[in-house]
Amino acid sequence: MNFTSTLSEDSIKTHCQNIESDGYSVIKGYVDLANAAKLNALADDIFITKRGGGLTAAPVGRQKVIANDPIVSNVLYYNEEFLNLVTSGDHLKVYQWFLNDRYYGLIDQSNPNFMLAQCNLRKGATAIDYHIDVRMNFEGPQTWSMQGILALDHRNRYNGGLKVIPGSHRQSGFPSDKTDKSSEIFVDLEPGDMAIFHSTLFHATTPVTEGYDPTWGLLLTYRSWWCKPQYDYVRMLPAEMTDKLTNAQKTLIGFHSLPPSNPEASPSLRIGYA
């Protein structure tokens, strides 16, 4: 099932320009309200029925504060609709602008040659201070890692929503107590809105105001094909799921970036669809 809307070439270009200048952009209504509600109900079902409502393994470092938040790591493992959602759709054309390796050669540039690194559901019950999501940060707009948040319900400054410091993706270094936060912006998302941003953009999440409840967000990370994967989706996902995927989807899952175990295999790192 296709949950997402089609983006025009002009719209894609605008989002890419926004990301280059500010570090982020929001695709309004990328999933319509009815489908956002379906995905939201599906998220509840996966968390309660398939995950048992239990806690998942917590991140390390600064983000370990979210250890008690409702989280479903690797939601694509539990449901094919989420698998298809994150491996197809026009949001990938925005990521291609930044993450496609122009020298890859073995896959046409109209298709992605980068990979999905993470795909989690999280209710933002716990605020996270300003941070970036990579350990290697350098000056300028170039990047090898990008994030995304698809709001499945209202996700705003009152219930664990996103806030950012525009332009901070262009500086090297990391946020600290001395970071100037005077230009921070709340990125309030309606159900079905999708925020796309640099992993090096200084960003945080807000606390939950009394009287409000945290809501599900689909949290995505995409990275250059040569990066070490955060999860081995090729071995994680069952064949009955991956056999249905297109070549482009398989690229995103990591099928075309696998180092060979056969000592007689080709030494080429880039294998494309071959």
Short mmCIF file of all heavy atoms in Angstrom, two decimals, residues 21-64:
data_model
loop_
_atom_site.label_atom_id
_atom_site.label_comp_id
_atom_site.label_asym_id
_atom_site.label_seq_id
_atom_site.Cartn_x
_atom_site.Cartn_y
_atom_site.Cartn_z
N SER A 21 20.51 25.22 3.22
CA SER A 21 20.69 26.50 3.91
C SER A 21 20.42 26.41 5.40
O SER A 21 21.19 26.93 6.22
CB SER A 21 19.78 27.57 3.28
OG SER A 21 18.40 27.20 3.43
N ASP A 22 19.34 25.72 5.79
CA ASP A 22 18.92 25.70 7.19
C ASP A 22 19.22 24.40 7.91
O ASP A 22 19.16 24.33 9.13
CB ASP A 22 17.41 25.96 7.29
CG ASP A 22 17.01 27.33 6.77
OD1 ASP A 22 17.86 28.26 6.86
OD2 ASP A 22 15.88 27.49 6.29
N GLY A 23 19.46 23.34 7.14
CA GLY A 23 19.74 22.05 7.75
C GLY A 23 18.52 21.16 7.88
O GLY A 23 18.64 20.00 8.27
N TYR A 24 17.33 21.70 7.56
CA TYR A 24 16.11 20.90 7.68
C TYR A 24 15.04 21.43 6.75
O TYR A 24 15.10 22.56 6.26
CB TYR A 24 15.59 20.92 9.13
CG TYR A 24 14.84 22.19 9.48
CD1 TYR A 24 13.45 22.23 9.49
CD2 TYR A 24 15.52 23.37 9.78
CE1 TYR A 24 12.76 23.40 9.79
CE2 TYR A 24 14.86 24.53 10.09
CZ TYR A 24 13.48 24.55 10.09
OH TYR A 24 12.80 25.71 10.39
N SER A 25 14.03 20.60 6.51
CA SER A 25 12.84 21.02 5.77
C SER A 25 11.70 20.10 6.17
O SER A 25 11.93 18.97 6.62
CB SER A 25 13.07 20.93 4.25
OG SER A 25 12.04 21.60 3.54
N VAL A 26 10.47 20.59 6.03
CA VAL A 26 9.28 19.82 6.41
C VAL A 26 8.40 19.60 5.19
O VAL A 26 8.00 20.55 4.52
CB VAL A 26 8.47 20.53 7.52
CG1 VAL A 26 7.20 19.74 7.84
CG2 VAL A 26 9.32 20.70 8.78
N ILE A 27 8.10 18.34 4.91
CA ILE A 27 7.14 17.99 3.86
C ILE A 27 5.78 17.93 4.53
O ILE A 27 5.46 16.99 5.26
CB ILE A 27 7.48 16.64 3.21
CG1 ILE A 27 8.92 16.62 2.69
CG2 ILE A 27 6.50 16.34 2.07
CD1 ILE A 27 9.36 15.27 2.15
N LYS A 28 4.97 18.96 4.30
CA LYS A 28 3.65 19.02 4.93
C LYS A 28 2.71 18.00 4.27
O LYS A 28 2.66 17.88 3.05
CB LYS A 28 3.07 20.43 4.79
CG LYS A 28 3.91 21.53 5.42
CD LYS A 28 4.02 21.36 6.92
CE LYS A 28 2.69 21.59 7.62
NZ LYS A 28 2.82 21.49 9.10
N GLY A 29 1.98 17.26 5.10
CA GLY A 29 0.99 16.32 4.59
C GLY A 29 1.56 15.25 3.69
O GLY A 29 0.89 14.80 2.76
N TYR A 30 2.80 14.81 3.97
CA TYR A 30 3.40 13.77 3.13
C TYR A 30 2.57 12.49 3.17
O TYR A 30 2.45 11.78 2.18
CB TYR A 30 4.83 13.51 3.59
CG TYR A 30 5.59 12.54 2.71
CD1 TYR A 30 5.62 12.71 1.32
CD2 TYR A 30 6.28 11.48 3.26
CE1 TYR A 30 6.32 11.84 0.51
CE2 TYR A 30 6.99 10.59 2.46
CZ TYR A 30 7.00 10.78 1.08
OH TYR A 30 7.69 9.89 0.28
N VAL A 31 2.01 12.19 4.33
CA VAL A 31 1.01 11.12 4.47
C VAL A 31 -0.30 11.78 4.85
O VAL A 31 -0.32 12.63 5.75
CB VAL A 31 1.44 10.11 5.55
CG1 VAL A 31 0.34 9.09 5.80
CG2 VAL A 31 2.73 9.41 5.15
N ASP A 32 -1.39 11.44 4.17
CA ASP A 32 -2.66 12.12 4.47
C ASP A 32 -3.17 11.69 5.85
O ASP A 32 -2.69 10.71 6.45
CB ASP A 32 -3.69 11.90 3.38
CG ASP A 32 -4.15 10.45 3.23
OD1 ASP A 32 -4.25 9.73 4.24
OD2 ASP A 32 -4.41 10.03 2.08
N LEU A 33 -4.14 12.43 6.36
CA LEU A 33 -4.61 12.24 7.73
C LEU A 33 -5.15 10.83 7.97
O LEU A 33 -4.90 10.22 9.02
CB LEU A 33 -5.68 13.28 8.07
CG LEU A 33 -5.18 14.72 8.21
CD1 LEU A 33 -6.36 15.67 8.43
CD2 LEU A 33 -4.19 14.84 9.37
N ALA A 34 -5.90 10.31 7.00
CA ALA A 34 -6.49 8.97 7.17
C ALA A 34 -5.40 7.91 7.28
O ALA A 34 -5.45 7.02 8.14
CB ALA A 34 -7.43 8.65 6.01
N ASN A 35 -4.39 8.00 6.42
CA ASN A 35 -3.32 7.00 6.46
C ASN A 35 -2.40 7.20 7.66
O ASN A 35 -1.86 6.23 8.20
CB ASN A 35 -2.51 7.05 5.16
CG ASN A 35 -3.21 6.33 4.02
OD1 ASN A 35 -3.79 5.26 4.22
ND2 ASN A 35 -3.18 6.90 2.83
N ALA A 36 -2.23 8.45 8.08
CA ALA A 36 -1.45 8.70 9.30
C ALA A 36 -2.13 8.04 10.50
O ALA A 36 -1.47 7.45 11.36
CB ALA A 36 -1.29 10.20 9.53
N ALA A 37 -3.46 8.12 10.54
CA ALA A 37 -4.22 7.49 11.62
C ALA A 37 -4.06 5.97 11.57
O ALA A 37 -3.94 5.31 12.61
CB ALA A 37 -5.68 7.89 11.54
N LYS A 38 -4.08 5.39 10.36
CA LYS A 38 -3.89 3.94 10.21
C LYS A 38 -2.51 3.53 10.70
O LYS A 38 -2.35 2.53 11.41
CB LYS A 38 -4.07 3.54 8.75
CG LYS A 38 -5.50 3.63 8.23
CD LYS A 38 -5.56 3.24 6.76
CE LYS A 38 -6.98 3.42 6.21
NZ LYS A 38 -7.03 3.11 4.76
N LEU A 39 -1.49 4.29 10.33
CA LEU A 39 -0.13 3.97 10.76
C LEU A 39 0.02 4.14 12.28
O LEU A 39 0.73 3.37 12.93
CB LEU A 39 0.87 4.87 10.03
CG LEU A 39 1.05 4.59 8.54
CD1 LEU A 39 1.86 5.70 7.88
CD2 LEU A 39 1.74 3.24 8.31
N ASN A 40 -0.65 5.14 12.82
CA ASN A 40 -0.61 5.37 14.26
C ASN A 40 -1.22 4.18 15.02
O ASN A 40 -0.66 3.70 16.01
CB ASN A 40 -1.34 6.66 14.60
CG ASN A 40 -1.06 7.15 16.00
OD1 ASN A 40 0.10 7.22 16.41
ND2 ASN A 40 -2.09 7.50 16.74
N ALA A 41 -2.37 3.70 14.54
CA ALA A 41 -3.01 2.53 15.16
C ALA A 41 -2.13 1.29 14.99
O ALA A 41 -2.04 0.45 15.90
CB ALA A 41 -4.38 2.31 14.54
N LEU A 42 -1.49 1.18 13.84
CA LEU A 42 -0.60 0.06 13.58
C LEU A 42 0.60 0.10 14.53
O LEU A 42 1.04 -0.94 15.03
CB LEU A 42 -0.13 0.11 12.13
CG LEU A 42 0.58 -1.09 11.54
CD1 LEU A 42 -0.23 -2.36 11.72
CD2 LEU A 42 0.87 -0.85 10.07
N ALA A 43 1.10 1.31 14.81
CA ALA A 43 2.21 1.45 15.75
C ALA A 43 1.80 0.97 17.13
O ALA A 43 2.57 0.26 17.80
CB ALA A 43 2.66 2.91 15.79
N ASP A 44 0.62 1.35 17.57
CA ASP A 44 0.12 0.88 18.88
C ASP A 44 0.03 -0.64 18.91
O ASP A 44 0.43 -1.28 19.89
CB ASP A 44 -1.26 1.48 19.16
CG ASP A 44 -1.21 2.90 19.69
OD1 ASP A 44 -0.21 3.25 20.35
OD2 ASP A 44 -2.16 3.65 19.44
N ASP A 45 -0.48 -1.20 17.83
CA ASP A 45 -0.66 -2.66 17.77
C ASP A 45 0.69 -3.38 17.82
O ASP A 45 0.84 -4.39 18.52
CB ASP A 45 -1.42 -3.03 16.50
CG ASP A 45 -1.64 -4.54 16.39
OD1 ASP A 45 -2.36 -5.09 17.23
OD2 ASP A 45 -1.06 -5.14 15.46
N ILE A 46 1.66 -2.87 17.07
CA ILE A 46 2.98 -3.50 17.06
C ILE A 46 3.61 -3.42 18.44
O ILE A 46 4.17 -4.40 18.94
CB ILE A 46 3.88 -2.82 16.00
CG1 ILE A 46 3.36 -3.12 14.59
CG2 ILE A 46 5.33 -3.30 16.15
CD1 ILE A 46 4.04 -2.32 13.52
N PHE A 47 3.51 -2.26 19.07
CA PHE A 47 4.13 -2.08 20.38
C PHE A 47 3.50 -2.99 21.43
O PHE A 47 4.20 -3.62 22.23
CB PHE A 47 4.02 -0.62 20.83
CG PHE A 47 4.65 -0.32 22.15
CD1 PHE A 47 6.02 -0.41 22.32
CD2 PHE A 47 3.87 0.03 23.25
CE1 PHE A 47 6.62 -0.15 23.55
CE2 PHE A 47 4.45 0.30 24.48
CZ PHE A 47 5.83 0.21 24.63
N ILE A 48 2.17 -3.08 21.39
CA ILE A 48 1.47 -3.85 22.42
C ILE A 48 1.45 -5.34 22.10
O ILE A 48 1.76 -6.19 22.95
CB ILE A 48 0.03 -3.33 22.58
CG1 ILE A 48 0.05 -1.89 23.11
CG2 ILE A 48 -0.77 -4.21 23.52
CD1 ILE A 48 -1.29 -1.19 23.05
N THR A 49 1.11 -5.68 20.85
CA THR A 49 0.92 -7.09 20.49
C THR A 49 2.23 -7.80 20.17
O THR A 49 2.51 -8.88 20.71
CB THR A 49 -0.03 -7.20 19.28
OG1 THR A 49 -1.26 -6.53 19.59
CG2 THR A 49 -0.31 -8.66 18.97
N LYS A 50 3.04 -7.21 19.32
CA LYS A 50 4.25 -7.89 18.87
C LYS A 50 5.45 -7.63 19.77
O LYS A 50 6.34 -8.47 19.88
CB LYS A 50 4.55 -7.50 17.42
CG LYS A 50 3.47 -7.96 16.46
CD LYS A 50 3.83 -7.66 15.01
CE LYS A 50 2.74 -8.17 14.07
NZ LYS A 50 3.04 -7.89 12.65
N ARG A 51 5.47 -6.46 20.37
CA ARG A 51 6.59 -6.15 21.26
C ARG A 51 6.23 -6.38 22.72
O ARG A 51 7.08 -6.28 23.60
CB ARG A 51 7.01 -4.68 21.07
CG ARG A 51 7.84 -4.43 19.81
CD ARG A 51 9.30 -4.78 20.02
NE ARG A 51 9.90 -3.89 21.01
CZ ARG A 51 10.21 -4.25 22.24
NH1 ARG A 51 10.03 -5.48 22.66
NH2 ARG A 51 10.73 -3.38 23.08
N GLY A 52 4.96 -6.61 23.00
CA GLY A 52 4.55 -6.87 24.37
C GLY A 52 4.57 -5.66 25.27
O GLY A 52 4.44 -5.78 26.49
N GLY A 53 4.74 -4.46 24.67
CA GLY A 53 4.75 -3.24 25.46
C GLY A 53 5.97 -3.09 26.34
O GLY A 53 6.03 -2.21 27.20
N GLY A 54 6.98 -3.91 26.11
CA GLY A 54 8.17 -3.88 26.95
C GLY A 54 9.21 -2.90 26.44
O GLY A 54 9.10 -2.35 25.33
N LEU A 55 10.24 -2.68 27.26
CA LEU A 55 11.31 -1.77 26.89
C LEU A 55 12.26 -2.44 25.92
O LEU A 55 12.45 -3.65 25.93
CB LEU A 55 12.07 -1.32 28.14
CG LEU A 55 11.25 -0.56 29.19
CD1 LEU A 55 12.13 -0.20 30.38
CD2 LEU A 55 10.63 0.70 28.59
N THR A 56 12.86 -1.62 25.08
CA THR A 56 13.84 -2.11 24.12
C THR A 56 15.23 -1.74 24.61
O THR A 56 15.38 -1.00 25.59
CB THR A 56 13.57 -1.50 22.73
OG1 THR A 56 14.41 -2.13 21.77
CG2 THR A 56 13.84 0.00 22.72
N ALA A 57 16.26 -2.23 23.94
CA ALA A 57 17.63 -1.87 24.31
C ALA A 57 17.81 -0.37 24.14
O ALA A 57 17.46 0.20 23.10
CB ALA A 57 18.62 -2.64 23.45
N ALA A 58 18.37 0.28 25.14
CA ALA A 58 18.50 1.73 25.14
C ALA A 58 19.73 2.17 24.35
O ALA A 58 20.72 1.42 24.26
CB ALA A 58 18.58 2.25 26.57
N PRO A 59 19.70 3.37 23.79
CA PRO A 59 20.92 3.92 23.20
C PRO A 59 21.96 4.16 24.29
O PRO A 59 21.65 4.15 25.48
CB PRO A 59 20.45 5.25 22.59
CG PRO A 59 18.98 5.26 22.66
CD PRO A 59 18.57 4.31 23.73
N VAL A 60 23.19 4.40 23.86
CA VAL A 60 24.25 4.76 24.80
C VAL A 60 24.57 6.24 24.62
O VAL A 60 24.13 6.87 23.68
CB VAL A 60 25.51 3.90 24.59
CG1 VAL A 60 25.21 2.44 24.85
CG2 VAL A 60 26.06 4.08 23.17
N GLY A 61 25.35 6.79 25.54
CA GLY A 61 25.70 8.20 25.44
C GLY A 61 24.58 9.09 25.94
O GLY A 61 23.76 8.70 26.78
N ARG A 62 24.50 10.29 25.38
CA ARG A 62 23.55 11.29 25.85
C ARG A 62 22.10 10.85 25.70
O ARG A 62 21.22 11.26 26.44
CB ARG A 62 23.76 12.62 25.12
CG ARG A 62 25.12 13.24 25.35
CD ARG A 62 25.26 14.57 24.66
NE ARG A 62 24.48 15.61 25.33
CZ ARG A 62 24.47 16.89 24.95
NH1 ARG A 62 25.18 17.26 23.89
NH2 ARG A 62 23.76 17.78 25.59
N GLN A 63 21.84 10.00 24.70
CA GLN A 63 20.47 9.63 24.43
C GLN A 63 19.97 8.46 25.28
O GLN A 63 18.84 8.02 25.13
CB GLN A 63 20.30 9.32 22.94
CG GLN A 63 20.48 10.54 22.06
CD GLN A 63 20.02 10.30 20.64
OE1 GLN A 63 18.99 9.70 20.40
NE2 GLN A 63 20.81 10.75 19.68
N LYS A 64 20.79 7.98 26.20
CA LYS A 64 20.32 6.92 27.09
C LYS A 64 19.20 7.39 28.00
O LYS A 64 18.51 6.57 28.62
CB LYS A 64 21.47 6.36 27.91
CG LYS A 64 22.08 7.33 28.90
CD LYS A 64 23.27 6.70 29.62
CE LYS A 64 23.92 7.66 30.60
NZ LYS A 64 25.10 7.06 31.25
#
